[in-house]
Amino acid sequence: MRSRHHPLFATFLATLLVFAAGFGLAGAPSAAAATPVRIMPLGDSITGSPGCWRSLLWDQLQNAGYTDIDFVGTLNAQSCTLTHDADNEGHGGFQATATADQNLLPGWLAATLPDIVVMHFGTNDVWSSIAPDTILAAYTKLVGQMRASNPAMKVLVAQLIPINPSSCAECAARTVTFNQRIPAWAHAISTAQSPVTVVDQWTGFDTATDTYDGVHPNASGDAKMAARWYPALSALLTPGDPGDPGDPGSGGCSAAFRAVSVWQGGYQGEVTVTNTSSTAAISSWAVTLALPTGSRLTQVWNGALTGTTVRNAGWNGTLTAGASTTFGFLASTSAASGTPSVTATCSAY
């Protein structure tokens, strides 16, 4: 149907709308809406088909107050029980090497513009007996393409979950060999503007109980993967409910450090956080770590890291009187091997 507005009236109306917008009228928002952090899960079928660790991770982040996020990708398989943002780049059967050789990633990046990439990629390469050097060269190219898309890209790279398919007796050992190479590669390519963080998805994962076919995670495996991704990812995010301590409540807490294992150039630590009140619960805590000279935190789990302060994760902040929880971390060190001296100071809120 033709419009019955007179042309002069239409011109007047358009001018009026421009004038109103300039003075904050016509429904213009008073402040720009916050832009969510865009997170791309990248990999093969372990990530995408159905990759239900993504739904668990999404749910965990939302429950912890990290609501200003957006999982992105050109795929969207809604096949997991939990409602979640299912966008991803988990391409079943794909190899990291072929993805790099064929320059597939730049198109996915251009379509989705992620700020963070969560990458578990290379299982099919290991299965195909592609040399670790070749896979790591592909990783380097992929990270370069990520940085071309976003110079401040944050990258989480998994040490792959173990695999033990019936058709590949050597795959389990190949995965171990490849995983051993990833930390040194990540350290060499990481920058202050675009850090590359290694997330250990291999340790504690059992193909007999955590996969349904020796390769793909079952419900138990999905839960383990989500739990490993969470601390590394949440450390890069600001929760919608800031979770920053306000005035301390009536509760108090203590933090006790122990060295779980020590090796040349690094160590694994565990900190036990205890509510020291005999009557009052605490709803959140923060532990500041005083590390030895030359020591640097490289990974934290069961907590969110900012600088050298670890705050509780979404599920372990509330402690009843006398209750305890733990978080763990990996640290590099330039000191000679030996038990590190770490002081942990706890604040409760």
Side-chain angles (χ1 to χ4, degrees):
M1 181 173 66
R2 293 188 59 177
S3 170
R4 286 180 281 184
H5 289 160
H6 192 280
L8 290 176
F9 177 77
T11 301
F12 171 77
L13 181 61
T15 303
L16 181 61
L17 288 172
V18 171
F19 175 81
F23 283 87
L25 304 176
S30 58
T35 301
V37 179
R38 301 168 67 83
I39 303 165
M40 174 189 282
L42 173 64
D44 46 43
S45 58
I46 291 171
T47 295
S49 306
C52 287
W53 60 260
R54 291 182 286 108
S55 69
L56 298 175
L57 179 59
W58 173 266
D59 189 61
Q60 198 169 345
L61 290 165
Q62 296 292 301
N63 290 338
Y66 297 97
T67 54
D68 199 16
I69 60 174
D70 180 14
F71 279 13
V72 298
T74 60
L75 305 178
N76 185 285
Q78 297 280 356
S79 54
C80 301
T81 303
L82 287 173
T83 301
H84 67 292
D85 184 346
D87 295 336
N88 71 94
E89 292 295 351
H91 296 263
F94 277 40
Q95 297 173 337
T97 49
T99 298
D101 291 343
Q102 297 170 27
N103 292 312
L104 300 177
L105 182 59
W108 302 339
L109 293 167
T112 59
L113 301 176
D115 304 295
I116 300 171
V117 173
V118 174
M119 186 171 88
H120 186 287
F121 209 1
T123 297
N124 290 309
D125 304 79
V126 171
W127 199 333
S128 300
S129 196
I130 296 174
D133 283 344
T134 305
I135 305 173
L136 292 175
Y139 274 19
T140 298
K141 183 174 181 179
L142 294 175
V143 171
Q145 292 170 340
M146 295 173 198
R147 289 171 173 167
S149 169
N150 180 351
M153 186 76 76
K154 310 297 188 292
V155 187
L156 303 182
V157 176
Q159 287 178 294
L160 305 176
I161 63 171
I163 61 171
N164 190 24
S166 58
S167 60
C168 181
E170 300 82 16
C171 277
R174 288 181 201 155
T175 304
V176 172
T177 299
F178 177 62
N179 279 341
Q180 289 173 340
R181 297 284 303 279
I182 293 176
W185 166 84
H187 179 74
I189 200 172
S190 187
T191 67
Q193 184 181 22
S194 176
V196 177
T197 302
V198 179
V199 177
D200 180 5
Q201 290 286 357
W202 189 88
T203 301
F205 197 101
D206 187 342
T207 56
T209 58
D210 298 325
T211 73
Y212 59 83
D213 60 357
V215 178
H216 298 90
N218 56 20
S220 171
D222 285 327
K224 287 185 177 181
M225 290 191 71
R228 287 299 178 91
W229 284 126
Y230 176 84
L233 181 54
S234 63
L236 303 177
L237 302 172
T238 300
D241 175 10
D244 290 329
D247 295 329
S250 57
C253 65
S254 64
F257 164 80
R258 76 178 184 94
V260 177
S261 59
V262 180
W263 56 90
Q264 186 68 38
Y267 56 94
Q268 178 181 340
E270 181 181 84
V271 175
T272 299
V273 178
T274 302
N275 180 354
T276 56
S277 172
S278 60
T279 58
I282 59 175
S283 59
S284 60
W285 48 262
V287 174
T288 299
L289 300 173
L291 303 174
T293 302
S295 187
R296 182 174 66 89
L297 294 173
T298 58
Q299 185 178 343
V300 171
W301 53 94
N302 296 335
L305 178 66
T306 304
T308 57
T309 297
V310 179
R311 305 189 187 281
N312 59 272
W315 67 91
N316 63 358
T318 299
L319 297 176
T320 58
S324 298
T325 188
T326 63
F327 68 86
F329 65 87
L330 298 179
S332 62
T333 180
S334 58
S337 60
T339 301
S341 176
V342 176
T343 301
T345 303
C346 187
S347 299
Y349 303 91

